[in-house]
Amino acid sequence: ETGYAPGFTVLNGNGDPVKNARLEIWQANAAGRYSHGADTNTAPLDPNFQGFAIITTDTMGRYRFKTVKPGAYPVSPTWKRPAHIHVDVYGKTDRLVSQMFFPGEELNEKDSIFLGLGSEKAAALASVVPATADIEKGAVLLNWDIVLNKG
């Protein structure tokens, strides 16, 4: 699937937007392979997909990016990671390293990292929201708010 356009808002613990937060984003390609020399997955690399971006939130703590849905990939013979996107968020005071998971993925409930979140699992799941007029036909728009304690 292509055309995923996550929408994010970075907020502090009071619900105020965190402007100019820096986000480093990385993910596997649609085949489940990272564009990184340490990735031992034999899935094909996509020469048109770098899998990494650095972006900054606007004055309302918002940002958006367009990407492909990352493929699941094997970690071991008994563990396959579900589709997810990594984020490293730098606010004014706080830093958060996390993963955004896609809703409805069967592998979510088999993933030790997702399951390890316990009661926080819901906070790691993006939600599908209605596509806006600027989203290409067939694309899916996701939303996932990130809360930094102090911002």
Side-chain angles (χ1 to χ4, degrees), residues 78-82 101 105-116 121:
T78 59
W79 180 22
K80 192 171 187 178
R81 294 292 325 270
F101 291 85
E105 293 293 310
E106 185 177 318
L107 288 174
N108 286 349
E109 295 303 326
K110 298 175 184 175
D111 184 64
S112 62
I113 293 174
F114 183 74
L115 294 174
K121 289 190 302 187

PDB file of all heavy atoms in Angstrom, residues 78-82 101 105-116 121:
ATOM      1  N   THR A  78      11.119 -16.940  14.913  1.00  0.00           N
ATOM      2  CA  THR A  78       9.823 -16.977  15.595  1.00  0.00           C
ATOM      3  C   THR A  78       9.207 -15.595  15.830  1.00  0.00           C
ATOM      4  O   THR A  78       8.189 -15.488  16.491  1.00  0.00           O
ATOM      5  CB  THR A  78       9.960 -17.685  16.957  1.00  0.00           C
ATOM      6  OG1 THR A  78      10.919 -16.965  17.753  1.00  0.00           O
ATOM      7  CG2 THR A  78      10.411 -19.126  16.782  1.00  0.00           C
ATOM      8  N   TRP A  79       9.834 -14.536  15.309  1.00  0.00           N
ATOM      9  CA  TRP A  79       9.344 -13.189  15.571  1.00  0.00           C
ATOM     10  C   TRP A  79       9.405 -12.351  14.315  1.00  0.00           C
ATOM     11  O   TRP A  79      10.467 -12.178  13.717  1.00  0.00           O
ATOM     12  CB  TRP A  79      10.167 -12.542  16.678  1.00  0.00           C
ATOM     13  CG  TRP A  79       9.786 -11.152  17.073  1.00  0.00           C
ATOM     14  CD1 TRP A  79       8.581 -10.529  16.885  1.00  0.00           C
ATOM     15  CD2 TRP A  79      10.604 -10.195  17.735  1.00  0.00           C
ATOM     16  NE1 TRP A  79       8.610  -9.249  17.397  1.00  0.00           N
ATOM     17  CE2 TRP A  79       9.853  -9.028  17.934  1.00  0.00           C
ATOM     18  CE3 TRP A  79      11.917 -10.220  18.206  1.00  0.00           C
ATOM     19  CZ2 TRP A  79      10.353  -7.896  18.543  1.00  0.00           C
ATOM     20  CZ3 TRP A  79      12.430  -9.099  18.821  1.00  0.00           C
ATOM     21  CH2 TRP A  79      11.643  -7.945  19.002  1.00  0.00           C
ATOM     22  N   LYS A  80       8.248 -11.823  13.925  1.00  0.00           N
ATOM     23  CA  LYS A  80       8.147 -10.922  12.791  1.00  0.00           C
ATOM     24  C   LYS A  80       7.546  -9.614  13.282  1.00  0.00           C
ATOM     25  O   LYS A  80       6.486  -9.604  13.897  1.00  0.00           O
ATOM     26  CB  LYS A  80       7.262 -11.554  11.706  1.00  0.00           C
ATOM     27  CG  LYS A  80       7.312 -10.846  10.389  1.00  0.00           C
ATOM     28  CD  LYS A  80       6.595 -11.673   9.325  1.00  0.00           C
ATOM     29  CE  LYS A  80       6.795 -11.039   7.968  1.00  0.00           C
ATOM     30  NZ  LYS A  80       6.166 -11.832   6.918  1.00  0.00           N
ATOM     31  N   ARG A  81       8.248  -8.506  13.043  1.00  0.00           N
ATOM     32  CA  ARG A  81       7.762  -7.191  13.472  1.00  0.00           C
ATOM     33  C   ARG A  81       6.632  -6.721  12.581  1.00  0.00           C
ATOM     34  O   ARG A  81       6.694  -6.832  11.373  1.00  0.00           O
ATOM     35  CB  ARG A  81       8.876  -6.136  13.403  1.00  0.00           C
ATOM     36  CG  ARG A  81      10.063  -6.257  14.318  1.00  0.00           C
ATOM     37  CD  ARG A  81       9.794  -6.051  15.797  1.00  0.00           C
ATOM     38  NE  ARG A  81       8.803  -5.091  16.210  1.00  0.00           N
ATOM     39  CZ  ARG A  81       9.012  -3.801  16.464  1.00  0.00           C
ATOM     40  NH1 ARG A  81      10.198  -3.272  16.337  1.00  0.00           N
ATOM     41  NH2 ARG A  81       8.024  -3.026  16.883  1.00  0.00           N
ATOM     42  N   PRO A  82       5.596  -6.127  13.179  1.00  0.00           N
ATOM     43  CA  PRO A  82       4.506  -5.564  12.377  1.00  0.00           C
ATOM     44  C   PRO A  82       4.936  -4.236  11.755  1.00  0.00           C
ATOM     45  O   PRO A  82       5.982  -3.672  12.100  1.00  0.00           O
ATOM     46  CB  PRO A  82       3.410  -5.335  13.415  1.00  0.00           C
ATOM     47  CG  PRO A  82       4.151  -5.098  14.691  1.00  0.00           C
ATOM     48  CD  PRO A  82       5.379  -5.973  14.615  1.00  0.00           C
ATOM     49  N   PHE A 101       2.491   2.455  15.598  1.00  0.00           N
ATOM     50  CA  PHE A 101       1.988   1.222  15.014  1.00  0.00           C
ATOM     51  C   PHE A 101       0.724   1.501  14.218  1.00  0.00           C
ATOM     52  O   PHE A 101      -0.028   2.419  14.530  1.00  0.00           O
ATOM     53  CB  PHE A 101       1.695   0.190  16.113  1.00  0.00           C
ATOM     54  CG  PHE A 101       2.939  -0.322  16.777  1.00  0.00           C
ATOM     55  CD1 PHE A 101       3.522   0.370  17.825  1.00  0.00           C
ATOM     56  CD2 PHE A 101       3.539  -1.500  16.350  1.00  0.00           C
ATOM     57  CE1 PHE A 101       4.670  -0.094  18.441  1.00  0.00           C
ATOM     58  CE2 PHE A 101       4.688  -1.972  16.964  1.00  0.00           C
ATOM     59  CZ  PHE A 101       5.256  -1.274  18.009  1.00  0.00           C
ATOM     60  N   GLU A 105      -3.406  -4.270  12.498  1.00  0.00           N
ATOM     61  CA  GLU A 105      -2.370  -5.203  12.064  1.00  0.00           C
ATOM     62  C   GLU A 105      -2.387  -6.447  12.947  1.00  0.00           C
ATOM     63  O   GLU A 105      -2.230  -6.364  14.165  1.00  0.00           O
ATOM     64  CB  GLU A 105      -0.980  -4.552  12.144  1.00  0.00           C
ATOM     65  CG  GLU A 105      -0.761  -3.431  11.183  1.00  0.00           C
ATOM     66  CD  GLU A 105      -0.735  -3.905   9.742  1.00  0.00           C
ATOM     67  OE1 GLU A 105      -0.011  -4.873   9.430  1.00  0.00           O
ATOM     68  OE2 GLU A 105      -1.448  -3.304   8.917  1.00  0.00           O
ATOM     69  N   GLU A 106      -2.544  -7.602  12.343  1.00  0.00           N
ATOM     70  CA  GLU A 106      -2.585  -8.861  13.082  1.00  0.00           C
ATOM     71  C   GLU A 106      -1.298  -9.083  13.882  1.00  0.00           C
ATOM     72  O   GLU A 106      -1.331  -9.592  15.000  1.00  0.00           O
ATOM     73  CB  GLU A 106      -2.804 -10.016  12.103  1.00  0.00           C
ATOM     74  CG  GLU A 106      -2.987 -11.354  12.755  1.00  0.00           C
ATOM     75  CD  GLU A 106      -3.277 -12.440  11.736  1.00  0.00           C
ATOM     76  OE1 GLU A 106      -4.060 -12.191  10.808  1.00  0.00           O
ATOM     77  OE2 GLU A 106      -2.699 -13.531  11.882  1.00  0.00           O
ATOM     78  N   LEU A 107      -0.165  -8.680  13.311  1.00  0.00           N
ATOM     79  CA  LEU A 107       1.117  -8.896  13.987  1.00  0.00           C
ATOM     80  C   LEU A 107       1.310  -8.022  15.227  1.00  0.00           C
ATOM     81  O   LEU A 107       2.181  -8.302  16.044  1.00  0.00           O
ATOM     82  CB  LEU A 107       2.279  -8.680  13.019  1.00  0.00           C
ATOM     83  CG  LEU A 107       2.472  -9.762  11.956  1.00  0.00           C
ATOM     84  CD1 LEU A 107       3.571  -9.348  10.978  1.00  0.00           C
ATOM     85  CD2 LEU A 107       2.781 -11.104  12.589  1.00  0.00           C
ATOM     86  N   ASN A 108       0.511  -6.961  15.383  1.00  0.00           N
ATOM     87  CA  ASN A 108       0.638  -6.118  16.581  1.00  0.00           C
ATOM     88  C   ASN A 108       0.515  -6.963  17.841  1.00  0.00           C
ATOM     89  O   ASN A 108       1.298  -6.811  18.780  1.00  0.00           O
ATOM     90  CB  ASN A 108      -0.424  -5.014  16.605  1.00  0.00           C
ATOM     91  CG  ASN A 108      -0.144  -3.896  15.622  1.00  0.00           C
ATOM     92  OD1 ASN A 108       0.932  -3.802  15.048  1.00  0.00           O
ATOM     93  ND2 ASN A 108      -1.142  -3.054  15.415  1.00  0.00           N
ATOM     94  N   GLU A 109      -0.463  -7.839  17.875  1.00  0.00           N
ATOM     95  CA  GLU A 109      -0.735  -8.623  19.086  1.00  0.00           C
ATOM     96  C   GLU A 109       0.207  -9.800  19.265  1.00  0.00           C
ATOM     97  O   GLU A 109       0.052 -10.587  20.198  1.00  0.00           O
ATOM     98  CB  GLU A 109      -2.195  -9.086  19.094  1.00  0.00           C
ATOM     99  CG  GLU A 109      -3.177  -7.935  19.201  1.00  0.00           C
ATOM    100  CD  GLU A 109      -2.987  -7.048  20.430  1.00  0.00           C
ATOM    101  OE1 GLU A 109      -2.605  -7.560  21.499  1.00  0.00           O
ATOM    102  OE2 GLU A 109      -3.209  -5.823  20.317  1.00  0.00           O
ATOM    103  N   LYS A 110       1.206  -9.913  18.379  1.00  0.00           N
ATOM    104  CA  LYS A 110       2.229 -10.948  18.508  1.00  0.00           C
ATOM    105  C   LYS A 110       3.613 -10.325  18.710  1.00  0.00           C
ATOM    106  O   LYS A 110       4.598 -11.039  18.858  1.00  0.00           O
ATOM    107  CB  LYS A 110       2.240 -11.836  17.260  1.00  0.00           C
ATOM    108  CG  LYS A 110       0.940 -12.567  17.038  1.00  0.00           C
ATOM    109  CD  LYS A 110       0.964 -13.334  15.739  1.00  0.00           C
ATOM    110  CE  LYS A 110      -0.390 -13.988  15.496  1.00  0.00           C
ATOM    111  NZ  LYS A 110      -0.441 -14.642  14.201  1.00  0.00           N
ATOM    112  N   ASP A 111       3.670  -9.009  18.690  1.00  0.00           N
ATOM    113  CA  ASP A 111       4.944  -8.291  18.749  1.00  0.00           C
ATOM    114  C   ASP A 111       5.321  -7.996  20.197  1.00  0.00           C
ATOM    115  O   ASP A 111       4.577  -7.312  20.915  1.00  0.00           O
ATOM    116  CB  ASP A 111       4.832  -6.983  17.954  1.00  0.00           C
ATOM    117  CG  ASP A 111       6.140  -6.238  17.888  1.00  0.00           C
ATOM    118  OD1 ASP A 111       7.103  -6.773  17.291  1.00  0.00           O
ATOM    119  OD2 ASP A 111       6.215  -5.132  18.434  1.00  0.00           O
ATOM    120  N   SER A 112       6.483  -8.477  20.634  1.00  0.00           N
ATOM    121  CA  SER A 112       6.872  -8.305  22.042  1.00  0.00           C
ATOM    122  C   SER A 112       7.070  -6.840  22.413  1.00  0.00           C
ATOM    123  O   SER A 112       6.820  -6.454  23.556  1.00  0.00           O
ATOM    124  CB  SER A 112       8.124  -9.119  22.359  1.00  0.00           C
ATOM    125  OG  SER A 112       9.214  -8.688  21.575  1.00  0.00           O
ATOM    126  N   ILE A 113       7.479  -6.012  21.467  1.00  0.00           N
ATOM    127  CA  ILE A 113       7.653  -4.586  21.782  1.00  0.00           C
ATOM    128  C   ILE A 113       6.281  -3.936  21.979  1.00  0.00           C
ATOM    129  O   ILE A 113       6.059  -3.228  22.957  1.00  0.00           O
ATOM    130  CB  ILE A 113       8.473  -3.878  20.692  1.00  0.00           C
ATOM    131  CG1 ILE A 113       9.909  -4.426  20.714  1.00  0.00           C
ATOM    132  CG2 ILE A 113       8.459  -2.360  20.885  1.00  0.00           C
ATOM    133  CD1 ILE A 113      10.793  -3.931  19.605  1.00  0.00           C
ATOM    134  N   PHE A 114       5.349  -4.192  21.068  1.00  0.00           N
ATOM    135  CA  PHE A 114       4.007  -3.635  21.202  1.00  0.00           C
ATOM    136  C   PHE A 114       3.334  -4.167  22.471  1.00  0.00           C
ATOM    137  O   PHE A 114       2.770  -3.404  23.252  1.00  0.00           O
ATOM    138  CB  PHE A 114       3.166  -3.968  19.961  1.00  0.00           C
ATOM    139  CG  PHE A 114       1.794  -3.377  19.993  1.00  0.00           C
ATOM    140  CD1 PHE A 114       1.595  -2.027  19.775  1.00  0.00           C
ATOM    141  CD2 PHE A 114       0.684  -4.170  20.237  1.00  0.00           C
ATOM    142  CE1 PHE A 114       0.322  -1.475  19.797  1.00  0.00           C
ATOM    143  CE2 PHE A 114      -0.591  -3.632  20.265  1.00  0.00           C
ATOM    144  CZ  PHE A 114      -0.766  -2.281  20.047  1.00  0.00           C
ATOM    145  N   LEU A 115       3.413  -5.462  22.695  1.00  0.00           N
ATOM    146  CA  LEU A 115       2.790  -6.054  23.882  1.00  0.00           C
ATOM    147  C   LEU A 115       3.425  -5.532  25.165  1.00  0.00           C
ATOM    148  O   LEU A 115       2.756  -5.386  26.181  1.00  0.00           O
ATOM    149  CB  LEU A 115       2.876  -7.577  23.826  1.00  0.00           C
ATOM    150  CG  LEU A 115       2.063  -8.233  22.710  1.00  0.00           C
ATOM    151  CD1 LEU A 115       2.350  -9.731  22.664  1.00  0.00           C
ATOM    152  CD2 LEU A 115       0.588  -7.954  22.877  1.00  0.00           C
ATOM    153  N   GLY A 116       4.724  -5.226  25.115  1.00  0.00           N
ATOM    154  CA  GLY A 116       5.426  -4.698  26.275  1.00  0.00           C
ATOM    155  C   GLY A 116       4.955  -3.317  26.697  1.00  0.00           C
ATOM    156  O   GLY A 116       5.261  -2.861  27.800  1.00  0.00           O
ATOM    157  N   LYS A 121      -0.461   0.685  25.033  1.00  0.00           N
ATOM    158  CA  LYS A 121      -0.558   0.242  23.638  1.00  0.00           C
ATOM    159  C   LYS A 121      -1.415   1.182  22.798  1.00  0.00           C
ATOM    160  O   LYS A 121      -1.059   1.495  21.664  1.00  0.00           O
ATOM    161  CB  LYS A 121      -1.119  -1.186  23.550  1.00  0.00           C
ATOM    162  CG  LYS A 121      -0.165  -2.240  24.028  1.00  0.00           C
ATOM    163  CD  LYS A 121      -0.641  -3.652  23.698  1.00  0.00           C
ATOM    164  CE  LYS A 121      -1.983  -3.948  24.285  1.00  0.00           C
ATOM    165  NZ  LYS A 121      -2.375  -5.363  24.111  1.00  0.00           N
TER     166      LYS A 121
END
